[in-house]
Amino acid sequence: MRKLFIAILLILSVQPVQADGVVGTGTSASCKNDDVHAALAGGGDITFNCGRGIATISMTSPLIIREDTVIDGAGSIVLSGMNRNQIIIVQSGVRLEVRNLVFENGLDDTYTPSPRGGAIQNNGGSLVISNSIFRGNAAINRDRLNSGSGGAIYSEGGSVTINDSLFLGNRTLGDGGAIYNVDGYLDIQRSRFILNSARERGGAIIHGEYLTSPENITVIDSFFSLNSARAGGAIITNQGTNNLISNSQFDSNVAQAWAGGVYAAASDTFEIIHSRFTGNTSFRHGGALVNANGRMTIIGNSLIRNRAYVDGGGVYSNTYLDVETSTFAYNSAGELGGGLYSYLRADVTLSILNSTFSANAAEHGGGLYDKSRNGGIYRTNIAYSTFAYNRGGGIQSQYGHYVLQGSIIAYSQGDWNCRPAPDDRYYSMNFPDASCGGHNVDPYLMPLADNGGITLTHALSIDSPAIDAVSGMPLLLGLGTELDPLRCTTDFDQRNLTRPVNIIGTDVALCDMGAYEYGAMPTRFEVVSNPEPESSSDPVSCSNFRPTSPLDGFPNGVATFYWDAAPGATAY
């Protein structure tokens, strides 16, 4: 029995000890570097008692996280590296959660192998950050130019999750002005990245090194502004099988060479959904986006006033690209493709569906410059889209291998809408010149405006010949009867409103040309009612029960219905 007791004691003695700790005894003077080290020695939940107001703790040596730890600054603690010291190092296999803390002026200037993470270096651990601020951190060694990784955070082989945080003014001479992440997933939600910079790649974030890992990056509900780098002014990705950016905004980021906003350098698939790219600049290619490898899908995005000094004012792509329900407006390129530059090789394709290209500008191909080739096999398909007021032509294709379906190309600023004409066109319209072939008539487009949905569109005026025009096109174009005259190949317009809508009153509803469906209305209504009143057995007249709307002229907008209830009625 005694031997068993001793054995149990030996087993217990080698188990990791996690002891929650409190830094400080109620005054700022009690919160020093050594006090933080002592509190973190056993891991666990670490809090601070440093008196009233904001307390800044000068870190003279980095905290080494060897046990699972939670550090909560309660919004009143600043950990400062004093522009001399790194602040935290996380060991492999350890989980660190940081809450409500400020990391300020952390610096890693290690010469060998190179500076890594001015504020936090994560060496294979699990890092979770919530409601925290990283400002003025750096990974820089002045004797090693173009080196350094992750001005604020360096993570290799672990994982990083960031929620509700701010990264401001972090920098490196190498890659990842705010974050360098490789061989692990990166999940960012509701966070802001402002004024971060990298001399090489990823002004705010670099994710991966040349397909070294299948781990993904996910960015949701976040904001990137005034970040800068040579490539990927805001973000560059080099790994991931299913990368995602959703509901985020990229504004005024800058790249010296490639992609003012986001550079998809290497990934299997990359989805960018319901996001805005405004005022981003590249001094070479891709004002907002560069799509270099894998397959990129752009859905419900607005790319407005981005600029590339060479090609691709909005997007520069040389691989698979699918564009849906998106608007490219007022983008510009110095040479080719004001809205979009596409260079397709081998078996890759470009697809544009239910999208608007308006008032973009370039020397050639103001809306789209298409450099696809492949001996007559269609590689670029443009369907139910609107190209209007583009300067330098609407669509220019170096080899002419593209198809127009149900689209409008009009009012191009220059001598032509299409150069050359597409290989084929079905149900399409161009004006004033007939360079696209097909139906040459004014579509009577309204100015670019908010007509419902999440992107700007050109509405059709009430007398537009593009309304219910799909079925007439085979006859007008002399294409014979091999096409289904009633075929509508999409069920929604750019605003995600159902099409077709039968405006003319034919036996079968027909689609409109272009990205906008005249008369389309939401098909789903959410009824929000007050708590159910006591029921009444007396019948009530519903003659006064009527729908009312704040908008007149439903075809040019989405109407919200307000119901005037019949007095005394409890059910309808």
Side-chain angles (χ1 to χ4, degrees):
M1 184 68 170
R2 183 177 180 181
K3 292 181 179 179
L4 177 60
F5 179 72
I6 293 173
I8 292 174
L9 287 177
L10 289 173
I11 293 172
L12 292 174
S13 67
V14 298
Q15 299 303 307
V17 176
Q18 287 195 342
D20 296 346
V22 177
V23 178
T25 58
T27 65
S28 59
S30 65
C31 296
K32 303 296 184 183
N33 174 80
D34 292 344
D35 302 310
V36 181
H37 278 268
L40 264 68
D45 293 344
I46 309 302
T47 57
F48 296 81
N49 182 19
C50 301
R52 301 178 62 182
I54 304 298
T56 298
I57 303 175
S58 299
M59 303 303 299
T60 57
S61 60
L63 302 169
I64 310 300
I65 308 300
R66 297 184 174 89
E67 307 289 346
D68 290 352
T69 302
V70 177
I71 307 176
D72 192 336
S76 61
I77 300 300
V78 177
L79 299 182
S80 175
M82 304 176 294
N83 291 316
R84 292 197 300 269
N85 304 301
Q86 194 175 49
I87 299 173
I88 289 179
I89 298 175
V90 182
Q91 301 289 55
S92 178
V94 174
R95 185 180 190 275
L96 171 64
E97 183 173 353
V98 172
R99 304 173 187 162
N100 311 304
L101 265 175
V102 176
F103 292 82
E104 180 180 83
N105 298 332
L107 172 66
D108 185 27
D109 60 356
T110 306
Y111 186 87
T112 303
S114 67
R116 295 182 172 183
I120 298 178
Q121 183 179 141
N122 179 29
N123 297 319
S126 175
L127 178 61
V128 180
I129 297 168
S130 300
N131 199 35
S132 294
I133 297 173
F134 292 76
R135 63 190 183 206
N137 302 286
I140 292 175
N141 186 299
R142 300 294 181 184
D143 295 327
R144 294 193 63 186
L145 297 181
N146 304 326
S147 69
S149 303
I153 296 174
Y154 174 94
S155 181
E156 181 174 0
S159 63
V160 180
T161 301
I162 299 172
N163 298 311
D164 306 296
S165 294
L166 169 65
F167 290 76
L168 175 65
N170 304 285
R171 66 199 188 278
T172 181
L173 297 179
D175 301 325
I179 298 173
Y180 177 101
N181 182 67
V182 63
D183 293 339
Y185 75 79
L186 175 59
D187 186 1
I188 298 171
Q189 298 194 36
R190 301 176 306 279
S191 295
R192 294 171 294 159
F193 293 78
I194 301 172
L195 283 170
N196 303 285
S197 63
R199 179 171 289 182
E200 292 299 314
R201 301 172 297 167
I205 297 169
I206 181 170
H207 177 66
E209 285 285 357
Y210 305 111
L211 288 175
T212 53
S213 169
E215 303 293 349
N216 299 319
I217 180 174
T218 299
V219 177
I220 299 175
D221 297 328
S222 295
F223 177 75
F224 295 76
S225 182
L226 300 172
N227 303 288
S228 63
R230 181 181 62 83
I235 297 175
I236 184 170
T237 64
N238 291 296
Q239 71 179 43
T241 55
N242 294 287
N243 293 327
L244 172 67
I245 294 174
S246 177
N247 216 32
S248 296
Q249 183 169 348
F250 295 79
D251 181 74
S252 302
N253 302 285
V254 177
Q256 283 71 49
W258 297 87
V262 176
Y263 187 179
S267 58
D268 290 345
T269 63
F270 203 138
E271 287 188 318
I272 303 178
I273 301 173
H274 299 170
S275 295
R276 289 179 58 85
F277 293 80
T278 56
N280 301 286
T281 300
S282 171
F283 287 94
R284 291 188 63 189
H285 304 298
L289 298 169
V290 169
N291 178 35
N293 198 336
R295 186 177 200 121
M296 178 178 284
T297 301
I298 298 173
I299 300 176
N301 293 282
S302 296
L303 293 92
I304 299 175
R305 300 190 188 283
N306 302 287
R307 183 181 183 186
Y309 278 70
V310 184
D311 301 330
V315 175
Y316 180 101
S317 177
N318 61 6
T319 184
Y320 291 97
L321 178 62
D322 298 319
V323 177
E324 298 181 16
T325 60
S326 294
T327 291
F328 292 63
Y330 311 111
N331 303 289
S332 63
E335 297 183 12
L336 307 177
L340 169 61
Y341 173 93
S342 174
Y343 180 32
L344 305 181
R345 297 163 289 181
D347 295 325
V348 298
T349 58
L350 167 64
S351 173
I352 299 173
L353 173 65
N354 285 326
S355 293
T356 297
F357 288 69
S358 179
N360 302 288
E363 184 176 350
H364 302 286
L368 165 67
Y369 188 89
D370 177 28
K371 200 176 179 180
S372 63
R373 63 173 103 186
N374 198 34
I377 298 176
Y378 304 143
R379 295 297 175 189
T380 296
N381 186 57
I382 302 168
Y384 296 96
S385 293
T386 299
F387 285 68
Y389 302 104
N390 295 292
R391 183 161 54 88
I395 299 172
Q396 182 165 346
S397 175
Q398 183 170 353
Y399 301 101
H401 299 312
Y402 67 103
V403 179
L404 293 178
Q405 302 180 50
S407 294
I408 297 172
I409 319 296
Y411 317 138
S412 297
Q413 306 299 302
D415 297 331
W416 45 270
N417 286 310
C418 297
R419 179 180 291 177
D423 289 303
D424 274 316
R425 62 213 150 264
Y426 308 108
Y427 327 124
S428 292
M429 181 177 294
N430 63 144
F431 184 83
D433 70 273
S435 56
C436 303
H439 200 28
N440 182 219
V441 63
D442 193 339
Y444 295 125
L445 297 177
M446 303 293 287
L448 190 69
D450 180 0
N451 297 301
I454 61 174
T455 55
L456 303 178
T457 53
H458 285 289
L460 300 174
S461 63
I462 193 169
D463 54 349
S464 172
I467 296 173
D468 290 358
V470 167
S471 68
M473 294 313 295
L475 177 61
L476 290 171
L477 294 176
L479 297 176
T481 59
E482 68 276 13
L483 299 175
D484 182 352
L486 302 180
R487 186 177 180 216
C488 186
T489 56
T490 180
D491 296 327
F492 53 90
D493 73 356
Q494 181 171 336
R495 301 165 297 163
N496 280 310
L497 301 183
T498 299
R499 66 157 97 203
V501 175
N502 195 342
I503 295 296
I504 295 177
T506 56
D507 292 337
V508 178
L510 308 171
C511 269
D512 299 350
M513 295 180 190
Y516 177 95
E517 183 76 10
Y518 187 90
M521 295 291 293
T523 57
R524 295 179 57 191
F525 295 90
E526 181 179 354
V527 178
V528 180
S529 61
N530 293 324
E532 186 175 339
E534 295 182 4
S535 61
S536 172
S537 58
D538 298 330
V540 176
S541 171
C542 291
S543 59
N544 293 325
F545 183 55
R546 59 186 177 82
T548 59
S549 170
L551 297 181
D552 293 324
F554 295 153
N556 291 327
V558 176
T560 301
F561 282 84
Y562 299 85
W563 297 96
D564 297 335
T570 59
Y572 301 96

